[in-house]
């Protein structure tokens, strides 16, 4: 019966007569928390903790842990080396002797399966010893320093580029990539042995002027350099695969700074056709649009008078030449910038903007209609009827078009708000 009750809860069903067991199930997103530390006194402080965004890749689809009351799982990580100390506590747990042999879930084992070998300990004294060792205090970023800058808070950050052959990076990357399991849905680990991968790591540099310097990792971007086929030999098309900013460093403008650091690296490379993105998340799309809009606003082709005249080949060429943007992204940025210069109070101006954007959004439907006209000339009536089942009618299309435009306009306005605030 106990086994059955546990299964009922996992399926999010009512426990019924097994309600007491409900107290022993906790959301793993609530139980787990992280902290980056520099010194031993940081470990027990209640400051600096941050939660995961997801744990289904660790604790199962339902993100539940069974068998504990008031469960708290702590993962404390050294800011530079990413060595971890794992501990957990609870007020009570299921007693197998009283529950027909049902044991509480293993808390630590699923967690350490995504961590690099020998990168964690459950011994606090051992972790404190590591924090004071030269492995932590003497840590220096590996790879090539490609950019350094000051944040809005006047903190110093440095960006390093690494490859699979960078000494010490393979082991470090094993520790770093564990973070994606908690913050990027459907994430997978990268085969670092492929030398087409490039890794851009952001580090915070801190310490007294002229004194001892320390580093803390803040985030990273991975890029795969594809060959640009059917073009001049040795041309390439870098594709951004993953971007991760650790939560303590988010909402500080650091993601934009890191992305621009990667951009600048490729802007100077004449063998790069354009920079693309692999299956971007909504958050990354917002960041990319913001950065690309800022950069395009500095280009003559995106001046107000030209933007209000409509999208042009000049914009495509200049965005490609100066910023390595593909035509699709150049068009998107054009729409954002045109909205910047479009007043809703000017009915005619705003109408022209809506029609311009909707014309692009409607292009797939127009293509579908053209193909349908061709089919009408070649298909039998019953075959055509089957095809029509999958065709969007005009009223549905208009409704979808208005919804698409409204959502896109809302997104564009958020991008412009961020541009205005920067």
């Amino acid at each position: 019966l106990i086994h059955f009750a546990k299964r009922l809860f996992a399926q999010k069903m009512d426990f019924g007569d097994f309600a007491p067991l409900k107290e022993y199930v906790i959301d793993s997103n609530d139980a787990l928390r992280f902290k980056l530390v520099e010194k031993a006194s940081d470990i027990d402080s209640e400051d600096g903790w941050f939660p995961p965004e997801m744990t289904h890749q660790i604790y199962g689809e339902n993100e539940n842990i069974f068998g504990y009351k008031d469960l708290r799982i702590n993962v404390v990580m050294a800011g530079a080396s990413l060595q971890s100390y794992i501990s957990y506590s609870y007020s009570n747990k299921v007693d197998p002797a009283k529950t027909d042999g049902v044991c509480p879930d293993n808390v630590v084992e699923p967690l350490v399966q995504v961590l690099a070998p020998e990168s964690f300990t459950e011994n606090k004294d051992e972790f404190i010893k590591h924090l004071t060792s030269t492995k932590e205090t003497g840590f220096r970023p590996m790879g090539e320093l490609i950019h350094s800058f000051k944040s809005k808070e006047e903190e110093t950050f440095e960006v390093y580029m690494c490859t699979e052959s960078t000494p010490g990076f393979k082991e470090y990357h094993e520790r770093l990539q564990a973070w994606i399991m908690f913050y990027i849905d459907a994430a997978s680990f990268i085969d670092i042995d492929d030398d087409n991968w490039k890794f851009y790591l952001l580090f915070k540099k801190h310490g007294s002027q002229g004194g001892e310097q320390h580093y803390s990792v803040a985030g990273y971007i991975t890029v795969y350099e594809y060959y640009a086929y059917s073009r001049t030999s040795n041309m390439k098309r870098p594709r951004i695969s993953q971007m991760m900013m650790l939560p303590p460093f988010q909402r500080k403008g650091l993601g934009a700074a890191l992305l621009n650091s990667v951009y600048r690296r490729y802007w100077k490379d004449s063998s790069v056709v354009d920079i693309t993105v692999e299956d971007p998340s909504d958050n990354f799309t917002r960041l990319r649009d913001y950065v690309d809009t800022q950069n395009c606003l500095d280009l003559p082709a995106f001046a107000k008078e030209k933007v209000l005249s409509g999208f042009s080949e000049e914009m495509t060429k200049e965005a490609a030449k100066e910023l390595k943007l593909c035509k699709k992204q150049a068009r998107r940025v054009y729409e954002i910038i045109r909205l910047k210069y479009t007043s809703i109070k000017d009915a005619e101006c705003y109408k022209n903007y809506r029609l311009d954007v909707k014309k692009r959004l409607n292009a797939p439907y127009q293509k579908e209609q053209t193909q349908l006209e061709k089919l009408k000339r070649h298909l039998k009536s019953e075959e055509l009827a089957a095809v029509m089942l999958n065709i969007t009618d005009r009223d549905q299309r208009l409704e979808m078009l208005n919804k698409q435009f409204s959502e896109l306009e809302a997104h564009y306005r958020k991008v412009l708000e961020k541009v205005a605030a920067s």
Side-chain angles (χ1 to χ4, degrees), residues 13 57 67 106 159 194 196-197 242 299 327 331 337 363 422:
M13 296 172 65
Q57 299 177 101
N106 193 311
V159 181
D194 188 332
N196 285 326
W197 283 109
Q242 295 173 341
L299 299 181
K327 184 175 182 178
R331 166 74 198 205
I337 295 177
S422 62

Side-chain angles (χ1 to χ4, degrees), residues 351-402:
K351 177 183 177 182
N352 289 337
Y353 176 75
R354 292 198 314 272
L355 291 175
D356 187 42
V357 175
K358 286 183 177 182
K359 183 178 179 181
R360 176 184 64 81
L361 294 175
N362 200 45
Y365 177 73
Q366 291 295 339
K367 184 178 180 181
E368 182 183 79
Q369 291 302 304
T370 301
Q371 292 173 336
L372 181 60
E373 290 302 318
K374 292 179 180 178
L375 290 174
K376 286 180 178 178
R377 295 194 295 268
H378 297 92
L379 295 181
K380 297 177 181 178
S381 57
E382 62 270 18
E383 293 174 330
L384 184 61
V387 170
M388 292 297 292
L389 292 174
N390 298 315
I391 298 296
T392 305
D393 65 37
R394 186 176 183 278
D395 290 341
Q396 287 177 319
R397 180 55 194 161
L398 288 174
E399 183 180 344
M400 289 171 57
L401 194 59
N402 287 328

Side-chain angles (χ1 to χ4, degrees), residues 212-228:
E212 190 173 335
Q213 299 295 314
H214 300 281
Y215 289 85
S216 299
V217 66
Y220 71 101
I221 288 178
T222 62
V223 178
Y224 192 86
E225 295 184 350
Y226 284 91
Y227 290 108

Side-chain angles (χ1 to χ4, degrees), residues 170-190:
K170 186 172 183 178
E171 292 76 16
Y172 192 74
H173 178 256
E174 278 193 88
R175 299 181 176 211
L176 184 61
Q177 70 176 350
W179 285 106
I180 66 175
M181 292 296 175
F182 304 97
Y183 295 97
I184 300 178
D185 198 14
S188 58
F189 290 159
I190 286 172

Side-chain angles (χ1 to χ4, degrees), residues 48-59:
W49 292 104
F50 54 93
E53 288 186 9
M54 63 195 70
T55 52
H56 63 87
Q57 299 177 101
I58 314 301
Y59 291 110

Side-chain angles (χ1 to χ4, degrees), residues 263 274-276 288-289 292-297 299 301-302 307 310-338 356 360 412:
Y263 275 171
D274 54 30
I275 304 168
T276 60
R288 182 193 188 193
D289 286 346
D292 290 346
T293 298
Q294 276 196 318
N295 291 333
C296 283
L297 281 168
L299 299 181
F302 288 83
V307 166
F311 189 60
S312 67
E313 188 64 22
E314 181 188 4
M315 294 175 190
T316 300
K317 289 181 177 179
E318 194 166 357
K321 179 182 177 183
E322 301 297 331
L323 305 177
K324 306 294 184 182
L325 296 186
C326 64
K327 184 175 182 178
K328 181 180 179 181
Q329 183 65 6
R331 166 74 198 205
R332 185 178 176 90
V333 172
Y334 149 77
E335 292 177 359
I336 296 172
I337 295 177
R338 181 164 177 175
D356 187 42
R360 176 184 64 81
Y412 287 173

